[in-house]
Short mmCIF file of all heavy atoms in Angstrom, two decimals:
data_model
loop_
_atom_site.label_atom_id
_atom_site.label_comp_id
_atom_site.label_asym_id
_atom_site.label_seq_id
_atom_site.Cartn_x
_atom_site.Cartn_y
_atom_site.Cartn_z
N ASP A 1 119.29 108.57 35.11
CA ASP A 1 119.82 107.30 34.66
C ASP A 1 121.15 107.44 33.91
O ASP A 1 122.09 106.69 34.07
CB ASP A 1 118.79 106.64 33.74
CG ASP A 1 119.17 105.17 33.35
OD1 ASP A 1 119.29 104.38 34.25
OD2 ASP A 1 119.52 104.96 32.16
N GLY A 2 121.26 108.58 33.13
CA GLY A 2 122.51 108.79 32.39
C GLY A 2 123.75 108.93 33.35
O GLY A 2 124.78 108.36 33.13
N ILE A 3 123.53 109.61 34.44
CA ILE A 3 124.57 109.76 35.43
C ILE A 3 124.91 108.48 36.13
O ILE A 3 126.02 108.13 36.35
CB ILE A 3 124.25 110.93 36.42
CG1 ILE A 3 124.17 112.21 35.64
CG2 ILE A 3 125.23 110.98 37.55
CD1 ILE A 3 123.54 113.38 36.37
N TYR A 4 123.84 107.76 36.50
CA TYR A 4 123.98 106.39 37.04
C TYR A 4 124.78 105.50 36.13
O TYR A 4 125.71 104.82 36.57
CB TYR A 4 122.60 105.76 37.35
CG TYR A 4 122.64 104.27 37.39
CD1 TYR A 4 123.31 103.58 38.42
CD2 TYR A 4 122.05 103.53 36.35
CE1 TYR A 4 123.35 102.22 38.44
CE2 TYR A 4 122.15 102.14 36.36
CZ TYR A 4 122.74 101.48 37.39
OH TYR A 4 122.78 100.13 37.40
N ARG A 5 124.55 105.63 34.86
CA ARG A 5 125.21 104.76 33.85
C ARG A 5 126.71 105.00 33.79
O ARG A 5 127.48 104.13 33.55
CB ARG A 5 124.62 104.88 32.48
CG ARG A 5 123.14 104.50 32.41
CD ARG A 5 123.00 103.02 32.71
NE ARG A 5 121.59 102.70 32.75
CZ ARG A 5 121.14 101.44 32.85
NH1 ARG A 5 121.97 100.43 32.95
NH2 ARG A 5 119.84 101.24 32.95
N PHE A 6 127.07 106.27 34.11
CA PHE A 6 128.54 106.57 34.20
C PHE A 6 129.16 105.73 35.25
O PHE A 6 130.21 105.12 35.04
CB PHE A 6 128.70 108.08 34.49
CG PHE A 6 130.09 108.50 34.86
CD1 PHE A 6 131.09 108.62 33.89
CD2 PHE A 6 130.43 108.69 36.17
CE1 PHE A 6 132.35 109.00 34.23
CE2 PHE A 6 131.66 109.00 36.50
CZ PHE A 6 132.67 109.20 35.52
N TYR A 7 128.58 105.71 36.47
CA TYR A 7 129.11 105.02 37.56
C TYR A 7 128.99 103.50 37.36
O TYR A 7 129.77 102.67 37.88
CB TYR A 7 128.47 105.43 38.88
CG TYR A 7 129.01 106.83 39.22
CD1 TYR A 7 128.23 107.89 38.96
CD2 TYR A 7 130.22 106.97 39.79
CE1 TYR A 7 128.66 109.21 39.28
CE2 TYR A 7 130.73 108.26 40.12
CZ TYR A 7 129.97 109.37 39.86
OH TYR A 7 130.40 110.59 40.16
N HIS A 8 127.97 103.08 36.63
CA HIS A 8 127.77 101.64 36.41
C HIS A 8 128.69 101.12 35.26
O HIS A 8 128.84 99.89 35.18
CB HIS A 8 126.28 101.49 35.97
CG HIS A 8 125.84 100.06 35.83
ND1 HIS A 8 125.87 99.15 36.86
CD2 HIS A 8 125.35 99.42 34.73
CE1 HIS A 8 125.49 97.94 36.41
NE2 HIS A 8 125.16 98.12 35.12
N GLY A 9 129.26 102.05 34.56
CA GLY A 9 130.14 101.58 33.43
C GLY A 9 129.33 101.17 32.22
O GLY A 9 129.86 100.35 31.36
N SER A 10 128.21 101.77 32.07
CA SER A 10 127.32 101.35 30.90
C SER A 10 127.45 102.37 29.71
O SER A 10 127.53 103.54 29.95
CB SER A 10 125.92 101.34 31.35
OG SER A 10 125.02 101.22 30.26
N PHE A 11 127.44 101.82 28.52
CA PHE A 11 127.47 102.62 27.32
C PHE A 11 126.29 103.55 27.24
O PHE A 11 126.36 104.61 26.55
CB PHE A 11 127.51 101.79 26.07
CG PHE A 11 126.14 101.13 25.78
CD1 PHE A 11 125.24 101.71 24.99
CD2 PHE A 11 125.87 99.83 26.34
CE1 PHE A 11 124.02 101.13 24.69
CE2 PHE A 11 124.65 99.25 26.15
CZ PHE A 11 123.69 99.94 25.33
N LYS A 12 125.27 103.41 28.07
CA LYS A 12 124.08 104.23 28.10
C LYS A 12 124.40 105.71 28.51
O LYS A 12 123.56 106.55 28.31
CB LYS A 12 122.94 103.67 28.83
CG LYS A 12 122.38 102.38 28.17
CD LYS A 12 121.34 101.76 29.03
CE LYS A 12 120.82 100.46 28.34
NZ LYS A 12 119.75 99.82 29.14
N VAL A 13 125.56 105.88 29.14
CA VAL A 13 125.93 107.19 29.51
C VAL A 13 126.04 108.12 28.25
O VAL A 13 125.81 109.29 28.31
CB VAL A 13 127.24 107.22 30.31
CG1 VAL A 13 128.47 106.86 29.48
CG2 VAL A 13 127.50 108.64 30.95
N TYR A 14 126.32 107.47 27.14
CA TYR A 14 126.47 108.22 25.92
C TYR A 14 125.16 108.80 25.49
O TYR A 14 125.16 109.83 24.72
CB TYR A 14 127.00 107.29 24.77
CG TYR A 14 128.44 106.91 24.86
CD1 TYR A 14 128.98 106.07 25.83
CD2 TYR A 14 129.38 107.59 24.04
CE1 TYR A 14 130.27 105.72 25.89
CE2 TYR A 14 130.73 107.28 24.09
CZ TYR A 14 131.18 106.35 25.08
OH TYR A 14 132.54 106.10 25.19
N TRP A 15 124.08 108.30 25.97
CA TRP A 15 122.73 108.86 25.62
C TRP A 15 122.57 110.29 26.15
O TRP A 15 121.68 111.01 25.68
CB TRP A 15 121.64 107.93 26.08
CG TRP A 15 121.65 106.63 25.43
CD1 TRP A 15 122.43 106.20 24.35
CD2 TRP A 15 120.84 105.47 25.74
NE1 TRP A 15 122.14 104.87 24.03
CE2 TRP A 15 121.19 104.45 24.85
CE3 TRP A 15 119.86 105.26 26.69
CZ2 TRP A 15 120.54 103.22 24.98
CZ3 TRP A 15 119.26 104.00 26.76
CH2 TRP A 15 119.62 103.01 25.82
N LEU A 16 123.32 110.64 27.20
CA LEU A 16 123.21 111.98 27.74
C LEU A 16 123.60 113.11 26.65
O LEU A 16 123.15 114.24 26.79
CB LEU A 16 124.14 112.18 28.96
CG LEU A 16 123.51 111.90 30.32
CD1 LEU A 16 124.61 112.08 31.41
CD2 LEU A 16 122.33 112.62 30.57
N GLN A 17 124.38 112.71 25.73
CA GLN A 17 124.83 113.67 24.71
C GLN A 17 123.63 114.25 23.96
O GLN A 17 123.64 115.45 23.64
CB GLN A 17 125.73 113.01 23.68
CG GLN A 17 127.08 112.53 24.30
CD GLN A 17 127.87 111.79 23.33
OE1 GLN A 17 128.75 112.29 22.69
NE2 GLN A 17 127.61 110.45 23.12
N GLU A 18 122.60 113.47 23.72
CA GLU A 18 121.43 113.92 22.96
C GLU A 18 120.73 115.03 23.74
O GLU A 18 120.39 116.04 23.18
CB GLU A 18 120.47 112.72 22.67
CG GLU A 18 119.29 113.12 21.78
CD GLU A 18 118.04 113.56 22.61
OE1 GLU A 18 117.92 113.08 23.74
OE2 GLU A 18 117.28 114.33 22.06
N LEU A 19 120.54 114.82 25.04
CA LEU A 19 119.89 115.83 25.89
C LEU A 19 120.78 117.10 25.97
O LEU A 19 120.23 118.19 25.83
CB LEU A 19 119.64 115.24 27.27
CG LEU A 19 118.95 116.17 28.31
CD1 LEU A 19 117.61 116.74 27.69
CD2 LEU A 19 118.74 115.43 29.61
N THR A 20 122.10 116.90 26.10
CA THR A 20 123.00 118.08 26.14
C THR A 20 122.87 118.88 24.84
O THR A 20 122.76 120.10 24.88
CB THR A 20 124.42 117.56 26.28
OG1 THR A 20 124.54 116.84 27.48
CG2 THR A 20 125.45 118.73 26.35
N GLU A 21 122.82 118.21 23.69
CA GLU A 21 122.73 118.91 22.44
C GLU A 21 121.37 119.62 22.30
O GLU A 21 121.32 120.74 21.77
CB GLU A 21 122.98 117.95 21.25
CG GLU A 21 124.41 117.53 21.21
CD GLU A 21 124.65 116.31 20.30
OE1 GLU A 21 123.71 115.66 19.88
OE2 GLU A 21 125.84 116.10 19.98
N ARG A 22 120.36 119.06 22.81
CA ARG A 22 119.01 119.72 22.77
C ARG A 22 119.00 120.97 23.64
O ARG A 22 118.42 121.98 23.24
CB ARG A 22 117.92 118.71 23.14
CG ARG A 22 117.60 117.74 22.11
CD ARG A 22 116.40 116.95 22.30
NE ARG A 22 115.61 117.37 23.44
CZ ARG A 22 115.04 116.56 24.40
NH1 ARG A 22 115.25 115.28 24.30
NH2 ARG A 22 114.31 117.04 25.35
N ILE A 23 119.67 120.89 24.81
CA ILE A 23 119.75 122.07 25.74
C ILE A 23 120.47 123.14 24.99
O ILE A 23 120.00 124.28 24.98
CB ILE A 23 120.48 121.66 27.05
CG1 ILE A 23 119.70 120.66 27.89
CG2 ILE A 23 120.79 122.96 27.85
CD1 ILE A 23 120.47 120.08 29.03
N VAL A 24 121.59 122.85 24.45
CA VAL A 24 122.41 123.90 23.73
C VAL A 24 121.61 124.46 22.57
O VAL A 24 121.64 125.73 22.38
CB VAL A 24 123.79 123.25 23.32
CG1 VAL A 24 124.53 124.35 22.53
CG2 VAL A 24 124.57 122.91 24.60
N ALA A 25 120.90 123.64 21.80
CA ALA A 25 120.18 124.15 20.66
C ALA A 25 119.09 125.12 21.17
O ALA A 25 118.89 126.15 20.53
CB ALA A 25 119.54 122.99 19.89
N GLN A 26 118.48 124.80 22.25
CA GLN A 26 117.40 125.68 22.84
C GLN A 26 118.03 127.02 23.33
O GLN A 26 117.46 128.04 23.14
CB GLN A 26 116.62 124.98 23.89
CG GLN A 26 115.37 125.74 24.28
CD GLN A 26 114.46 125.96 23.10
OE1 GLN A 26 114.07 125.05 22.40
NE2 GLN A 26 114.03 127.21 22.89
N LEU A 27 119.17 126.91 24.06
CA LEU A 27 119.84 128.10 24.52
C LEU A 27 120.27 128.97 23.36
O LEU A 27 120.21 130.19 23.45
CB LEU A 27 121.02 127.74 25.43
CG LEU A 27 120.63 127.18 26.78
CD1 LEU A 27 121.91 126.60 27.48
CD2 LEU A 27 119.92 128.14 27.66
N ARG A 28 120.70 128.42 22.30
CA ARG A 28 121.17 129.16 21.15
C ARG A 28 119.98 129.89 20.52
O ARG A 28 120.12 130.98 19.95
CB ARG A 28 121.83 128.29 20.18
CG ARG A 28 123.20 127.81 20.68
CD ARG A 28 123.97 127.15 19.63
NE ARG A 28 124.41 128.17 18.66
CZ ARG A 28 125.56 128.27 18.11
NH1 ARG A 28 126.50 127.38 18.33
NH2 ARG A 28 125.82 129.24 17.24
N GLN A 29 118.75 129.30 20.56
CA GLN A 29 117.52 129.96 20.03
C GLN A 29 117.22 131.21 20.76
O GLN A 29 116.53 132.06 20.16
CB GLN A 29 116.40 128.98 20.03
CG GLN A 29 116.46 127.90 18.96
CD GLN A 29 116.48 128.53 17.56
OE1 GLN A 29 115.71 129.38 17.22
NE2 GLN A 29 117.48 128.11 16.75
N VAL A 30 117.63 131.32 21.99
CA VAL A 30 117.32 132.54 22.82
C VAL A 30 117.98 133.77 22.20
O VAL A 30 117.32 134.80 22.06
CB VAL A 30 117.79 132.36 24.26
CG1 VAL A 30 117.65 133.65 25.02
CG2 VAL A 30 116.96 131.23 24.94
N MET A 31 119.23 133.66 21.75
CA MET A 31 119.94 134.73 21.06
C MET A 31 120.73 134.12 19.92
O MET A 31 121.87 133.89 20.01
CB MET A 31 120.92 135.39 22.07
CG MET A 31 120.31 136.02 23.29
SD MET A 31 119.61 137.66 22.98
CE MET A 31 121.04 138.65 22.90
N PRO A 32 120.08 133.76 18.82
CA PRO A 32 120.66 133.07 17.76
C PRO A 32 121.78 133.83 17.06
O PRO A 32 122.72 133.23 16.46
CB PRO A 32 119.58 132.78 16.75
CG PRO A 32 118.46 133.65 17.10
CD PRO A 32 118.67 134.05 18.56
N GLU A 33 121.86 135.16 17.24
CA GLU A 33 122.89 135.95 16.61
C GLU A 33 124.18 135.95 17.42
O GLU A 33 125.20 136.44 16.95
CB GLU A 33 122.39 137.39 16.37
CG GLU A 33 122.17 138.19 17.57
CD GLU A 33 120.85 137.88 18.38
OE1 GLU A 33 120.12 136.94 17.95
OE2 GLU A 33 120.63 138.50 19.41
N ARG A 34 124.14 135.34 18.66
CA ARG A 34 125.32 135.33 19.56
C ARG A 34 125.93 133.97 19.61
O ARG A 34 125.19 132.94 19.68
CB ARG A 34 124.92 135.80 20.95
CG ARG A 34 124.05 137.03 21.09
CD ARG A 34 124.75 138.30 21.05
NE ARG A 34 126.01 138.39 21.72
CZ ARG A 34 126.73 139.54 21.74
NH1 ARG A 34 126.23 140.58 21.12
NH2 ARG A 34 127.81 139.62 22.34
N GLU A 35 127.20 133.90 19.50
CA GLU A 35 127.93 132.60 19.72
C GLU A 35 128.14 132.26 21.16
O GLU A 35 128.48 133.24 21.96
CB GLU A 35 129.23 132.61 19.02
CG GLU A 35 129.14 132.64 17.47
CD GLU A 35 128.52 131.36 16.95
OE1 GLU A 35 128.79 130.23 17.46
OE2 GLU A 35 127.66 131.46 16.04
N PRO A 36 127.91 131.05 21.60
CA PRO A 36 128.26 130.73 23.03
C PRO A 36 129.70 130.94 23.37
O PRO A 36 130.55 130.96 22.52
CB PRO A 36 127.88 129.25 23.16
CG PRO A 36 126.95 129.00 21.97
CD PRO A 36 127.38 129.97 20.92
N ASP A 37 129.98 131.16 24.65
CA ASP A 37 131.28 131.38 25.18
C ASP A 37 132.25 130.30 24.65
O ASP A 37 131.88 129.11 24.60
CB ASP A 37 131.22 131.34 26.70
CG ASP A 37 132.56 131.56 27.36
OD1 ASP A 37 132.89 132.76 27.58
OD2 ASP A 37 133.33 130.63 27.57
N PRO A 38 133.42 130.70 24.25
CA PRO A 38 134.39 129.74 23.65
C PRO A 38 134.78 128.61 24.65
O PRO A 38 135.02 127.47 24.27
CB PRO A 38 135.63 130.52 23.23
CG PRO A 38 135.22 131.96 23.32
CD PRO A 38 133.91 132.07 24.08
N ARG A 39 134.86 128.90 25.93
CA ARG A 39 135.15 127.86 26.94
C ARG A 39 134.05 126.83 27.00
O ARG A 39 134.28 125.65 27.04
CB ARG A 39 135.38 128.49 28.34
CG ARG A 39 136.65 129.35 28.37
CD ARG A 39 136.64 130.27 29.57
NE ARG A 39 135.66 131.40 29.28
CZ ARG A 39 135.66 132.53 29.85
NH1 ARG A 39 136.58 132.79 30.71
NH2 ARG A 39 134.73 133.42 29.55
N PHE A 40 132.83 127.30 26.93
CA PHE A 40 131.70 126.38 26.90
C PHE A 40 131.72 125.58 25.61
O PHE A 40 131.55 124.36 25.66
CB PHE A 40 130.39 127.10 27.02
CG PHE A 40 129.24 126.23 26.84
CD1 PHE A 40 128.78 125.43 27.95
CD2 PHE A 40 128.55 126.11 25.71
CE1 PHE A 40 127.68 124.56 27.83
CE2 PHE A 40 127.43 125.23 25.51
CZ PHE A 40 127.05 124.46 26.59
N THR A 41 132.00 126.21 24.57
CA THR A 41 132.05 125.49 23.25
C THR A 41 133.09 124.42 23.29
O THR A 41 132.87 123.32 22.70
CB THR A 41 132.26 126.49 22.09
OG1 THR A 41 131.31 127.51 22.16
CG2 THR A 41 132.26 125.86 20.72
N HIS A 42 134.25 124.67 23.85
CA HIS A 42 135.30 123.67 24.03
C HIS A 42 134.81 122.45 24.88
O HIS A 42 134.99 121.36 24.42
CB HIS A 42 136.51 124.30 24.66
CG HIS A 42 137.70 123.46 24.81
ND1 HIS A 42 138.65 123.27 23.83
CD2 HIS A 42 138.03 122.55 25.79
CE1 HIS A 42 139.54 122.41 24.25
NE2 HIS A 42 139.17 121.94 25.45
N ILE A 43 134.18 122.75 25.95
CA ILE A 43 133.67 121.67 26.81
C ILE A 43 132.62 120.85 26.05
O ILE A 43 132.62 119.60 26.11
CB ILE A 43 133.05 122.24 28.10
CG1 ILE A 43 134.16 122.82 28.95
CG2 ILE A 43 132.26 121.26 28.88
CD1 ILE A 43 133.68 123.67 30.13
N LEU A 44 131.82 121.56 25.31
CA LEU A 44 130.74 120.89 24.52
C LEU A 44 131.33 119.99 23.43
O LEU A 44 130.93 118.84 23.25
CB LEU A 44 129.81 121.90 23.91
CG LEU A 44 128.67 121.41 23.11
CD1 LEU A 44 127.62 120.71 24.03
CD2 LEU A 44 127.92 122.52 22.39
#
């Protein structure tokens, strides 16, 4: 639905940010002592 909302022009595309942040938080938990790649951090 979030991707559909992008094409629909709906503000609900903004809701994808929450899922993105949860993914990143979980990936960071895998190796909490390591910082993600700076290119990825820039995109994020």
Side-chain angles (χ1 to χ4, degrees):
D1 187 64
I3 295 164
Y4 155 70
R5 297 299 175 172
F6 168 79
Y7 288 98
H8 186 62
S10 168
F11 72 92
K12 292 178 182 177
V13 70
Y14 284 76
W15 295 354
L16 271 180
Q17 295 175 96
E18 186 268 333
L19 181 55
T20 301
E21 290 169 345
R22 286 192 8 226
I23 293 168
V24 174
Q26 190 59 52
L27 289 171
R28 291 189 72 140
Q29 285 300 310
V30 171
M31 298 281 283
E33 69 282 1
R34 312 280 317 181
E35 288 298 319
D37 182 88
R39 292 163 287 202
F40 175 79
T41 303
H42 180 89
I43 290 167
L44 184 67

